[in-house]
Amino acid sequence: MAPTQAEIDRQMAREREAYEQSVAAGAPHAHHPLRDYPPYRSSALRHPRQPLVPLAVRQDPDAVELASPAFGGTDVTELDHDLTRQHRGEPLGERITVSGRLLDRTGRPVRGQLIEIWQANASGRYAHQRDQHPAPLDPHFTGVGRTLTDDDGGYTFTTIKPGAYPWRNHTNAWRPAHIHFSLFGSAFTQRLITQMYFPGDPLFARDPILQSVTDEKARQRLVARYDHDLSKPQWSLGFHWDIVLDGPTATWIEEGR
């Protein structure tokens, strides 16, 4: 029988208390979550239990491509960053502009890097055959985009604000609205994945994935801020979100470090 939200809330409170006690006792701040965070139930089943297997890249340079993602079959086009213009009609929902910079630990821009996003539509449903959530699909919104960072490390996407959706972690579990970000470096193996959230979401405290980031400051770095200067008159609301790759202000990455 799946646990209730109240049971998951108690588990998250215990994990948070244990973390705060460890920091008070002198342990360093943990900017990334445990790989097996108990309230996020599936993490206990899929996190690595054995040491990673090194690839013999020097002996066989092609070996790295056997277990790595691909950038896609075509170049990035000017339509790829605007998810509202990829189909014949207008998608439903609240149009938003998401913009920010990709930075290293010293605040320097990371130029020419591929950023990909994917997300649910305004009803909280992904355009994916495995998503059987009984919410409507939008024929004019696929929910995927990509762009390259400019010389200042900047990126911009125009999209639709995603809706919350249910998931099967526990009874009456709902995920806060979020956008998945994938960041590529200069090689296939340099890929990082994270999530961006929207300010003031009432589901934050009840979401085991977000709460697995037990450090409050690290958790807040996953939340975009509303930026009125990014908003476009009669067109879209603006949200600003910088991504920091490493260091003490690093953005949480799903795989940890």
Side-chain angles (χ1 to χ4, degrees):
M1 183 176 179
T4 65
Q5 180 69 61
E7 291 170 328
I8 292 294
D9 289 345
R10 288 193 290 270
Q11 289 181 12
M12 291 190 293
R14 288 194 296 269
E15 293 293 327
R16 186 162 51 250
E17 181 181 7
Y19 168 73
E20 292 171 351
Q21 289 177 349
S22 69
V23 171
H29 287 271
H31 299 287
H32 299 282
L34 297 172
R35 295 182 185 271
D36 55 342
Y37 181 70
Y40 183 7
R41 297 172 62 213
S42 64
S43 68
L45 301 176
R46 65 186 185 188
H47 77 281
R49 291 183 172 84
Q50 302 296 327
L52 298 179
V53 177
L55 294 174
V57 178
R58 292 185 178 180
Q59 290 77 23
D60 183 10
D62 292 335
V64 68
E65 298 185 7
L66 299 178
S68 302
F71 290 101
T74 60
D75 293 335
V76 176
T77 72
E78 59 181 41
L79 283 182
D80 287 346
H81 76 279
D82 189 340
L83 284 67
T84 69
R85 296 172 55 205
Q86 296 174 351
H87 300 277
R88 291 180 178 272
E90 290 280 345
L92 298 174
E94 177 185 329
R95 189 183 290 108
I96 60 174
T97 298
V98 178
S99 187
R101 298 174 70 205
L102 182 63
L103 306 168
D104 67 12
R105 65 185 301 152
T106 64
R108 294 178 299 186
V110 183
R111 306 175 178 91
Q113 304 302 293
L114 179 67
I115 298 181
E116 297 177 329
I117 64 171
W118 66 96
Q119 62 171 94
N121 64 20
S123 298
R125 186 168 178 181
Y126 289 94
H128 191 283
Q129 62 182 1
R130 293 190 63 182
D131 188 346
Q132 298 301 310
H133 171 208
L137 288 169
D138 187 341
H140 303 303
F141 188 77
T142 307
V144 294
R146 58 182 181 166
T147 191
L148 296 173
T149 57
D150 61 23
D151 287 343
D152 197 37
Y155 73 89
T156 297
F157 289 100
T158 301
T159 185
I160 297 296
K161 186 176 181 182
Y165 59 81
W167 62 310
R168 297 180 180 180
N169 187 73
H170 55 275
T171 302
N172 203 19
W174 289 81
R175 293 237 54 219
H178 61 279
I179 297 177
H180 298 269
F181 275 70
S182 168
L183 315 168
F184 281 100
S186 58
F188 286 160
T189 53
Q190 297 174 343
R191 188 191 190 200
L192 303 175
I193 298 174
T194 187
Q195 299 178 22
M196 185 204 85
Y197 297 85
F198 295 87
D201 196 310
L203 292 171
F204 283 166
R206 301 187 179 278
D207 180 44
I209 295 181
L210 181 58
Q211 293 300 318
S212 70
V213 185
T214 47
D215 187 83
E216 173 66 20
K217 291 182 179 179
R219 195 161 58 244
Q220 288 302 318
R221 291 197 291 270
L222 293 175
V223 182
R225 62 176 174 85
Y226 173 70
D227 188 337
H228 198 67
D229 291 335
L230 279 176
S231 296
K232 299 180 180 179
Q234 303 182 50
W235 183 251
S236 68
L237 292 180
F239 293 90
H240 184 98
W241 192 56
D242 290 338
I243 306 168
V244 182
L245 293 178
D246 59 2
T249 60
T251 303
W252 167 72
I253 301 299
E254 290 189 7
E255 292 82 1
R257 294 294 181 187

